[in-house]
């Protein structure tokens, strides 16, 4: 079965530093995380960058859509995926790479993300885990670069979770921890899938989820969850 760390820092360590920035990855490492989760999407000119929203507004104050912004106009605090990987290499951080395409760019985003991984991901780090809410992105990633292990990403686990996972050759299921039920957790683990949950910032909740069989907690506060689980 896919082996994951017990704790992954969400967007770095989003409780303590601006999300999806190099400072956030450094903070995650300082607070004990060995892996981080990031969101990857494309600029107007097809450069993979680390950014959650379709717009730059919330995190940088710049009122512009990412899909309409070329790399050259990107605010300095927004890392390219290449810069993020270099930072992970320096810090020794593994990564759950969430492919987060803007509308209509599902396949292109997956292709350019795995191309970047092939080019820049260092052999010294554990292989990254790809995930996405978009099955089309995971299918495209699988087709272009089957060597990168994948997890389906589900806001809520429906009856079709297994067929969706199998359709993209996923080894893991990443889901909203607040909506996960114990029977579903058992079903997923019994079927041989690694089970990760987001975004859990409370130690007691994390302990309960691990008790249900959850393998990995994705959290904004890796120090809090590590302390609760150890
Ligand atoms: O990958 C887990 C989690 O990040 C998914 O939701 O919206 O925070 O990217 P979101
Ligand atoms: Mg994410």
């Amino acid at each position: 079965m896919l082996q994951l760390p017990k704790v992954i820092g969400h967007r770095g360590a989003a409780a303590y530093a601006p999300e999806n920035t190099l400072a956030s990855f450094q903070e995650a490492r300082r607070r004990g995380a060995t892996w981080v989760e990031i969101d990857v999407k494309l600029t107007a000119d097809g450069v993979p960058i680390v950014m959650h929203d379709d717009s730059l507004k919330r995190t940088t104050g710049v009122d512009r859509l990412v899909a309409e912004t070329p790399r050259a106009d990107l605010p300095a605090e927004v890392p390219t995926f290449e810069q993020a990987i270099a930072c992970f290499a320096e810090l020794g951080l593994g990564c759950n790479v969430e492919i987060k395409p803007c509308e209509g760019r599902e396949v292109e985003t997956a292709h350019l993300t795995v191309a970047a991984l092939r080019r820049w991901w260092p052999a010294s780090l554990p292989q990254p885990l790809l995930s996405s809410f978009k099955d089309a992105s995971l299918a495209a990633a699988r087709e272009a670069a089957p060597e990168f292990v994948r997890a389906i990403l589900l806001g809520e686990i429906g009856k079709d979770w297994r067929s969706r996972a199998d359709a993209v050759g996923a080894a893991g299921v990443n889901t909203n921890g607040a909506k996960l039920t114990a029977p579903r957790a058992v079903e997923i683990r019994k079927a041989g899938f690694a089970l990760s949950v987001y975004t859990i910032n409370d130690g007691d909740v994390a302990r309960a989820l691990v008790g249900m069989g959850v393998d990995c907690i994705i959290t904004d506060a890796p120090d809090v969850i590590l302390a609760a689980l150890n």
Side-chain angles (χ1 to χ4, degrees), residues 10-11 20 37-40 51-52 96-100 131 133 153 198-199 218:
H10 186 234
R11 309 182 196 174
N20 282 327
E37 182 266 2
I38 62 170
D39 306 289
V40 174
M51 168 63 55
H52 181 275
N96 171 196
V97 179
E98 184 189 337
I99 303 170
K100 192 77 138 185
S131 62
F133 286 111
L153 190 39
Y198 65 86
T199 304
I218 301 173

PDB file of all heavy atoms in Angstrom, residues 10-11 20 37-40 51-52 96-100 131 133 153 198-199 218, ligand 2:
ATOM      1  N   HIS A  10      -0.690  21.640   5.185  1.00  0.00           N
ATOM      2  CA  HIS A  10      -1.604  22.122   4.154  1.00  0.00           C
ATOM      3  C   HIS A  10      -1.170  23.485   3.620  1.00  0.00           C
ATOM      4  O   HIS A  10      -1.062  24.448   4.393  1.00  0.00           O
ATOM      5  CB  HIS A  10      -3.011  22.225   4.753  1.00  0.00           C
ATOM      6  CG  HIS A  10      -4.084  22.567   3.782  1.00  0.00           C
ATOM      7  ND1 HIS A  10      -4.935  23.631   3.965  1.00  0.00           N
ATOM      8  CD2 HIS A  10      -4.456  21.977   2.614  1.00  0.00           C
ATOM      9  CE1 HIS A  10      -5.793  23.672   2.966  1.00  0.00           C
ATOM     10  NE2 HIS A  10      -5.525  22.685   2.127  1.00  0.00           N
ATOM     11  N   ARG A  11      -0.919  23.549   2.325  1.00  0.00           N
ATOM     12  CA  ARG A  11      -0.420  24.781   1.676  1.00  0.00           C
ATOM     13  C   ARG A  11       0.847  25.262   2.397  1.00  0.00           C
ATOM     14  O   ARG A  11       1.087  26.474   2.509  1.00  0.00           O
ATOM     15  CB  ARG A  11      -1.492  25.876   1.651  1.00  0.00           C
ATOM     16  CG  ARG A  11      -2.827  25.400   1.083  1.00  0.00           C
ATOM     17  CD  ARG A  11      -3.884  26.493   1.020  1.00  0.00           C
ATOM     18  NE  ARG A  11      -5.229  25.925   0.834  1.00  0.00           N
ATOM     19  CZ  ARG A  11      -6.354  26.602   0.854  1.00  0.00           C
ATOM     20  NH1 ARG A  11      -6.331  27.905   1.018  1.00  0.00           N
ATOM     21  NH2 ARG A  11      -7.526  25.999   0.696  1.00  0.00           N
ATOM     22  N   ASN A  20       0.923  28.548   0.601  1.00  0.00           N
ATOM     23  CA  ASN A  20       1.528  28.251  -0.708  1.00  0.00           C
ATOM     24  C   ASN A  20       2.684  29.186  -1.065  1.00  0.00           C
ATOM     25  O   ASN A  20       2.850  29.547  -2.238  1.00  0.00           O
ATOM     26  CB  ASN A  20       0.452  28.296  -1.813  1.00  0.00           C
ATOM     27  CG  ASN A  20      -0.416  27.037  -1.865  1.00  0.00           C
ATOM     28  OD1 ASN A  20       0.064  25.937  -1.566  1.00  0.00           O
ATOM     29  ND2 ASN A  20      -1.669  27.190  -2.248  1.00  0.00           N
ATOM     30  N   GLU A  37       1.452  19.893   1.371  1.00  0.00           N
ATOM     31  CA  GLU A  37       0.497  19.853   0.254  1.00  0.00           C
ATOM     32  C   GLU A  37       0.510  21.214  -0.396  1.00  0.00           C
ATOM     33  O   GLU A  37       0.572  22.239   0.310  1.00  0.00           O
ATOM     34  CB  GLU A  37      -0.904  19.536   0.798  1.00  0.00           C
ATOM     35  CG  GLU A  37      -1.999  19.418  -0.248  1.00  0.00           C
ATOM     36  CD  GLU A  37      -2.792  20.695  -0.514  1.00  0.00           C
ATOM     37  OE1 GLU A  37      -2.474  21.756   0.102  1.00  0.00           O
ATOM     38  OE2 GLU A  37      -3.705  20.654  -1.322  1.00  0.00           O
ATOM     39  N   ILE A  38       0.499  21.237  -1.737  1.00  0.00           N
ATOM     40  CA  ILE A  38       0.434  22.512  -2.459  1.00  0.00           C
ATOM     41  C   ILE A  38      -0.589  22.395  -3.592  1.00  0.00           C
ATOM     42  O   ILE A  38      -0.936  21.290  -4.008  1.00  0.00           O
ATOM     43  CB  ILE A  38       1.808  22.926  -3.058  1.00  0.00           C
ATOM     44  CG1 ILE A  38       2.289  21.901  -4.090  1.00  0.00           C
ATOM     45  CG2 ILE A  38       2.836  23.121  -1.957  1.00  0.00           C
ATOM     46  CD1 ILE A  38       3.503  22.373  -4.891  1.00  0.00           C
ATOM     47  N   ASP A  39      -1.036  23.552  -4.077  1.00  0.00           N
ATOM     48  CA  ASP A  39      -1.961  23.603  -5.214  1.00  0.00           C
ATOM     49  C   ASP A  39      -1.207  24.148  -6.423  1.00  0.00           C
ATOM     50  O   ASP A  39      -0.533  25.183  -6.311  1.00  0.00           O
ATOM     51  CB  ASP A  39      -3.134  24.537  -4.885  1.00  0.00           C
ATOM     52  CG  ASP A  39      -3.809  24.147  -3.582  1.00  0.00           C
ATOM     53  OD1 ASP A  39      -4.483  23.115  -3.555  1.00  0.00           O
ATOM     54  OD2 ASP A  39      -3.625  24.874  -2.576  1.00  0.00           O
ATOM     55  N   VAL A  40      -1.347  23.452  -7.548  1.00  0.00           N
ATOM     56  CA  VAL A  40      -0.612  23.887  -8.747  1.00  0.00           C
ATOM     57  C   VAL A  40      -1.592  24.210  -9.867  1.00  0.00           C
ATOM     58  O   VAL A  40      -2.492  23.425 -10.172  1.00  0.00           O
ATOM     59  CB  VAL A  40       0.380  22.793  -9.213  1.00  0.00           C
ATOM     60  CG1 VAL A  40       1.025  23.178 -10.542  1.00  0.00           C
ATOM     61  CG2 VAL A  40       1.457  22.570  -8.161  1.00  0.00           C
ATOM     62  N   MET A  51      -0.546  28.085  -6.332  1.00  0.00           N
ATOM     63  CA  MET A  51      -1.621  29.054  -6.046  1.00  0.00           C
ATOM     64  C   MET A  51      -2.925  28.279  -5.919  1.00  0.00           C
ATOM     65  O   MET A  51      -3.183  27.397  -6.718  1.00  0.00           O
ATOM     66  CB  MET A  51      -1.668  30.059  -7.214  1.00  0.00           C
ATOM     67  CG  MET A  51      -2.848  30.986  -7.294  1.00  0.00           C
ATOM     68  SD  MET A  51      -3.078  32.167  -5.943  1.00  0.00           S
ATOM     69  CE  MET A  51      -1.511  33.006  -5.910  1.00  0.00           C
ATOM     70  N   HIS A  52      -3.722  28.634  -4.914  1.00  0.00           N
ATOM     71  CA  HIS A  52      -4.990  27.925  -4.703  1.00  0.00           C
ATOM     72  C   HIS A  52      -6.125  28.486  -5.542  1.00  0.00           C
ATOM     73  O   HIS A  52      -6.847  27.754  -6.205  1.00  0.00           O
ATOM     74  CB  HIS A  52      -5.367  27.983  -3.220  1.00  0.00           C
ATOM     75  CG  HIS A  52      -6.642  27.272  -2.906  1.00  0.00           C
ATOM     76  ND1 HIS A  52      -7.884  27.864  -3.037  1.00  0.00           N
ATOM     77  CD2 HIS A  52      -6.881  26.007  -2.481  1.00  0.00           C
ATOM     78  CE1 HIS A  52      -8.820  26.998  -2.695  1.00  0.00           C
ATOM     79  NE2 HIS A  52      -8.241  25.862  -2.358  1.00  0.00           N
ATOM     80  N   ASN A  96       2.597  16.473  -1.514  1.00  0.00           N
ATOM     81  CA  ASN A  96       1.343  16.097  -2.159  1.00  0.00           C
ATOM     82  C   ASN A  96       1.004  17.239  -3.111  1.00  0.00           C
ATOM     83  O   ASN A  96       0.664  18.334  -2.677  1.00  0.00           O
ATOM     84  CB  ASN A  96       0.254  15.911  -1.096  1.00  0.00           C
ATOM     85  CG  ASN A  96      -1.148  15.729  -1.667  1.00  0.00           C
ATOM     86  OD1 ASN A  96      -2.118  15.877  -0.930  1.00  0.00           O
ATOM     87  ND2 ASN A  96      -1.299  15.413  -2.934  1.00  0.00           N
ATOM     88  N   VAL A  97       1.158  16.971  -4.392  1.00  0.00           N
ATOM     89  CA  VAL A  97       0.932  17.998  -5.418  1.00  0.00           C
ATOM     90  C   VAL A  97      -0.522  17.914  -5.858  1.00  0.00           C
ATOM     91  O   VAL A  97      -0.922  16.972  -6.550  1.00  0.00           O
ATOM     92  CB  VAL A  97       1.859  17.759  -6.632  1.00  0.00           C
ATOM     93  CG1 VAL A  97       1.590  18.817  -7.703  1.00  0.00           C
ATOM     94  CG2 VAL A  97       3.319  17.762  -6.209  1.00  0.00           C
ATOM     95  N   GLU A  98      -1.315  18.886  -5.409  1.00  0.00           N
ATOM     96  CA  GLU A  98      -2.709  18.916  -5.864  1.00  0.00           C
ATOM     97  C   GLU A  98      -2.769  19.679  -7.182  1.00  0.00           C
ATOM     98  O   GLU A  98      -2.445  20.868  -7.241  1.00  0.00           O
ATOM     99  CB  GLU A  98      -3.620  19.582  -4.824  1.00  0.00           C
ATOM    100  CG  GLU A  98      -5.071  19.505  -5.291  1.00  0.00           C
ATOM    101  CD  GLU A  98      -6.058  20.313  -4.471  1.00  0.00           C
ATOM    102  OE1 GLU A  98      -5.796  20.620  -3.287  1.00  0.00           O
ATOM    103  OE2 GLU A  98      -7.115  20.646  -5.036  1.00  0.00           O
ATOM    104  N   ILE A  99      -3.197  18.983  -8.221  1.00  0.00           N
ATOM    105  CA  ILE A  99      -3.376  19.631  -9.530  1.00  0.00           C
ATOM    106  C   ILE A  99      -4.702  20.385  -9.470  1.00  0.00           C
ATOM    107  O   ILE A  99      -5.757  19.785  -9.287  1.00  0.00           O
ATOM    108  CB  ILE A  99      -3.384  18.585 -10.669  1.00  0.00           C
ATOM    109  CG1 ILE A  99      -2.097  17.752 -10.641  1.00  0.00           C
ATOM    110  CG2 ILE A  99      -3.554  19.272 -12.020  1.00  0.00           C
ATOM    111  CD1 ILE A  99      -2.124  16.539 -11.581  1.00  0.00           C
ATOM    112  N   LYS A 100      -4.618  21.696  -9.565  1.00  0.00           N
ATOM    113  CA  LYS A 100      -5.788  22.572  -9.319  1.00  0.00           C
ATOM    114  C   LYS A 100      -6.035  23.416 -10.571  1.00  0.00           C
ATOM    115  O   LYS A 100      -5.781  24.619 -10.579  1.00  0.00           O
ATOM    116  CB  LYS A 100      -5.417  23.460  -8.130  1.00  0.00           C
ATOM    117  CG  LYS A 100      -6.513  24.241  -7.491  1.00  0.00           C
ATOM    118  CD  LYS A 100      -7.342  23.371  -6.620  1.00  0.00           C
ATOM    119  CE  LYS A 100      -7.731  23.985  -5.309  1.00  0.00           C
ATOM    120  NZ  LYS A 100      -8.446  23.009  -4.481  1.00  0.00           N
ATOM    121  N   SER A 131      -2.664  14.579  -6.561  1.00  0.00           N
ATOM    122  CA  SER A 131      -4.098  14.464  -6.285  1.00  0.00           C
ATOM    123  C   SER A 131      -4.824  15.555  -7.038  1.00  0.00           C
ATOM    124  O   SER A 131      -4.208  16.543  -7.478  1.00  0.00           O
ATOM    125  CB  SER A 131      -4.373  14.573  -4.778  1.00  0.00           C
ATOM    126  OG  SER A 131      -3.971  15.834  -4.293  1.00  0.00           O
ATOM    127  N   PHE A 133      -9.201  17.193  -7.565  1.00  0.00           N
ATOM    128  CA  PHE A 133     -10.652  17.043  -7.583  1.00  0.00           C
ATOM    129  C   PHE A 133     -11.132  16.708  -8.988  1.00  0.00           C
ATOM    130  O   PHE A 133     -12.274  16.297  -9.180  1.00  0.00           O
ATOM    131  CB  PHE A 133     -11.326  18.347  -7.132  1.00  0.00           C
ATOM    132  CG  PHE A 133     -11.240  18.614  -5.651  1.00  0.00           C
ATOM    133  CD1 PHE A 133     -10.464  19.651  -5.150  1.00  0.00           C
ATOM    134  CD2 PHE A 133     -11.958  17.838  -4.756  1.00  0.00           C
ATOM    135  CE1 PHE A 133     -10.400  19.908  -3.789  1.00  0.00           C
ATOM    136  CE2 PHE A 133     -11.911  18.093  -3.390  1.00  0.00           C
ATOM    137  CZ  PHE A 133     -11.123  19.130  -2.903  1.00  0.00           C
ATOM    138  N   LEU A 153      -9.390  12.957  -5.104  1.00  0.00           N
ATOM    139  CA  LEU A 153      -9.666  13.978  -4.083  1.00  0.00           C
ATOM    140  C   LEU A 153     -11.169  14.216  -4.103  1.00  0.00           C
ATOM    141  O   LEU A 153     -11.731  14.631  -5.117  1.00  0.00           O
ATOM    142  CB  LEU A 153      -8.872  15.241  -4.445  1.00  0.00           C
ATOM    143  CG  LEU A 153      -8.737  16.409  -3.496  1.00  0.00           C
ATOM    144  CD1 LEU A 153      -8.556  15.996  -2.051  1.00  0.00           C
ATOM    145  CD2 LEU A 153      -7.572  17.276  -3.936  1.00  0.00           C
ATOM    146  N   TYR A 198      -8.330  16.121   4.844  1.00  0.00           N
ATOM    147  CA  TYR A 198      -8.054  17.534   5.000  1.00  0.00           C
ATOM    148  C   TYR A 198      -9.257  18.161   5.687  1.00  0.00           C
ATOM    149  O   TYR A 198     -10.337  17.552   5.682  1.00  0.00           O
ATOM    150  CB  TYR A 198      -7.782  18.202   3.644  1.00  0.00           C
ATOM    151  CG  TYR A 198      -8.972  18.197   2.720  1.00  0.00           C
ATOM    152  CD1 TYR A 198      -9.944  19.212   2.778  1.00  0.00           C
ATOM    153  CD2 TYR A 198      -9.185  17.174   1.793  1.00  0.00           C
ATOM    154  CE1 TYR A 198     -11.037  19.204   1.943  1.00  0.00           C
ATOM    155  CE2 TYR A 198     -10.287  17.168   0.952  1.00  0.00           C
ATOM    156  CZ  TYR A 198     -11.198  18.179   1.038  1.00  0.00           C
ATOM    157  OH  TYR A 198     -12.307  18.165   0.205  1.00  0.00           O
ATOM    158  N   THR A 199      -9.218  19.380   6.119  1.00  0.00           N
ATOM    159  CA  THR A 199      -8.056  20.073   6.658  1.00  0.00           C
ATOM    160  C   THR A 199      -8.294  20.062   8.151  1.00  0.00           C
ATOM    161  O   THR A 199      -9.213  20.762   8.625  1.00  0.00           O
ATOM    162  CB  THR A 199      -7.979  21.525   6.121  1.00  0.00           C
ATOM    163  OG1 THR A 199      -7.979  21.480   4.696  1.00  0.00           O
ATOM    164  CG2 THR A 199      -6.737  22.238   6.625  1.00  0.00           C
ATOM    165  N   ILE A 218      -3.935  16.007   6.770  1.00  0.00           N
ATOM    166  CA  ILE A 218      -3.463  17.221   6.089  1.00  0.00           C
ATOM    167  C   ILE A 218      -3.947  18.407   6.923  1.00  0.00           C
ATOM    168  O   ILE A 218      -5.147  18.549   7.173  1.00  0.00           O
ATOM    169  CB  ILE A 218      -3.992  17.277   4.645  1.00  0.00           C
ATOM    170  CG1 ILE A 218      -3.531  16.033   3.862  1.00  0.00           C
ATOM    171  CG2 ILE A 218      -3.521  18.545   3.940  1.00  0.00           C
ATOM    172  CD1 ILE A 218      -4.139  15.892   2.463  1.00  0.00           C
TER     173      ILE A 218
HETATM  174 MG1  LIG B   2      -5.210  21.909  -1.910  1.00  0.00          MG
END
